[in-house]
Amino acid sequence: MSDLSSGLRLKLKENFSFGSLRLINKRLSADGTEKFLFALTDKGSVEAVSIPTENRATGCISTQVGCKFACSFCASGLHGFKRNLSAAEILEQALFLKDGSRVRKLTHLVFMGTGEPLDNYDNLLKSIRIINSKEAFNIGARRITISTCGITPGIKRLSGEGLQIELSVSLHASDDRTRSRIMPINKRYPLESLLTACREYIKKTDRQITFEYVLIQGLNSDLQSSRELSKILKGLNCKVNLIPANFVAELGIEPPGKLEILMFRDCLLKAGIGVTLRKPRGQDIEASCGQLRLKHENRI
Ligand code: SAH
């Protein structure tokens, strides 16, 4: 803008930017799920996904570049951890999905992309307050979901924020031995401390927690695990979201058969636990955590 003085232009350049994400790849699934890969200014890359339902869309966004938690079934951690995303970089993903989905209004946001939201706590909360604010995105707190691998102190801190957000806890196993095997974070915050934090969270916020449970062939999907799961969740105001594992060739991960999945679900239902069974979306475009970024980084 040459009609501004050069001094002012310099000042603007030093203090403001028009965003730092650059779209470098885009995949559209037959079911309408769209996955976007963005380059960051420091050569890192980050993914966001738009998941349409009839007339609205849910955005799935990332909070970190890579992931340090190394869950054995998840592609996000395969290249290790690079850094936290700034609040601006988190918001830019949401803004892109909001502007990009012209047909469907972006009504829900889930922090289920790459990284661990509660490990980037301050930037996460800053971005949530903006997403929630009437002056900005105006997305109600109850339509915003944080998903955590079980950072106990983060769950405790979150319970004091006075936010009506949805909390999902990635459980994926019903005993410490199996959970530590597939989620190394369990060695630091074992099931008992995690479930105690969840119990306190529910009590303090009067909100239900969703436990995510990825069903992985040969690992955690047998009936004994389901019985154990209903035992440890008994009396908690919660529901379980069963997710048949997405195939990740690099990790040798695959879902169990349909019958095993249904038996696992029915066992929980019989024990009086609310269960949803997630329909896989975007499988043809590698829309599961970290998969598109993994392909990109493997090439460079
Ligand atoms: N770090 C957070 C958020 C990112 S992962 C967390 O652990 O919750 C978001 C969800 O995707 C988690 O429930 C995670 O376990 C799940 N996920 C990761 N890899 C998957 C795969 N191969 N198949 C199905 N779900 C997967």
Side-chain angles (χ1 to χ4, degrees), residues 39-211:
L40 301 159
T41 46
D42 61 359
K43 292 203 177 71
S45 59
V46 76
E47 302 175 347
V49 186
S50 168
I51 308 149
T53 45
E54 248 160 55
N55 49 7
R56 58 171 190 82
T58 296
C60 174
I61 53 184
S62 299
T63 50
Q64 297 185 315
V65 185
C67 186
K68 47 175 110 147
F69 295 92
C71 297
S72 68
F73 48 85
C74 181
S76 294
L78 277 172
H79 283 286
F81 173 74
K82 299 258 161 53
R83 67 171 174 88
N84 279 333
L85 289 176
S86 67
E89 287 166 331
I90 296 172
L91 285 166
E92 268 187 66
Q93 296 170 64
L95 194 60
F96 180 91
L97 297 178
K98 180 174 169 283
D99 289 347
S101 46
R102 256 164 271 126
V103 196
R104 293 181 184 85
K105 191 170 177 231
L106 182 75
T107 56
H108 293 67
L109 268 182
V110 295
F111 287 88
M112 289 191 183
T114 301
E116 168 51 42
L118 296 185
D119 190 47
N120 186 9
Y121 194 94
D122 292 336
N123 292 339
L124 169 78
L125 262 283
K126 205 169 167 183
S127 65
I128 286 183
R129 297 212 188 273
I130 294 174
I131 287 165
N132 190 211
S133 96
K134 290 214 162 44
E135 291 74 30
F137 288 79
N138 196 17
I139 295 182
R142 286 169 186 246
R143 293 175 164 192
I144 302 171
T145 303
I146 295 177
S147 183
T148 176
C149 62
I151 313 281
T152 302
I155 295 175
K156 283 192 185 140
R157 201 171 154 195
L158 196 62
S159 69
E161 298 287 352
L163 277 169
Q164 297 270 303
I165 43 154
E166 298 291 327
L167 180 64
S168 282
V169 174
S170 293
L171 202 57
H172 309 329
S174 50
D175 65 89
D176 277 321
R177 203 173 59 90
T178 313
R179 194 162 191 270
S180 296
R181 208 173 130 201
I182 57 179
M183 301 180 75
I185 188 67
N186 192 65
K187 292 181 197 132
R188 186 140 168 226
Y189 305 117
L191 277 173
E192 202 182 299
S193 73
L194 174 59
L195 292 172
T196 301
C198 290
R199 211 166 283 122
E200 283 165 7
Y201 180 92
I202 293 166
K203 204 166 147 202
K204 200 159 167 191
T205 60
D206 203 21
R207 308 277 302 149
Q208 187 182 62
I209 286 183
T210 299
F211 289 101

Side-chain angles (χ1 to χ4, degrees), residues 19-46:
S20 48
L21 301 190
R22 192 168 49 83
L23 186 68
I24 51 171
N25 198 352
K26 186 172 143 174
R27 305 277 295 272
L28 174 65
S29 161
D31 66 20
T33 303
E34 257 184 301
K35 182 148 198 166
F36 305 96
L37 185 70
F38 303 99
L40 301 159
T41 46
D42 61 359
K43 292 203 177 71
S45 59
V46 76

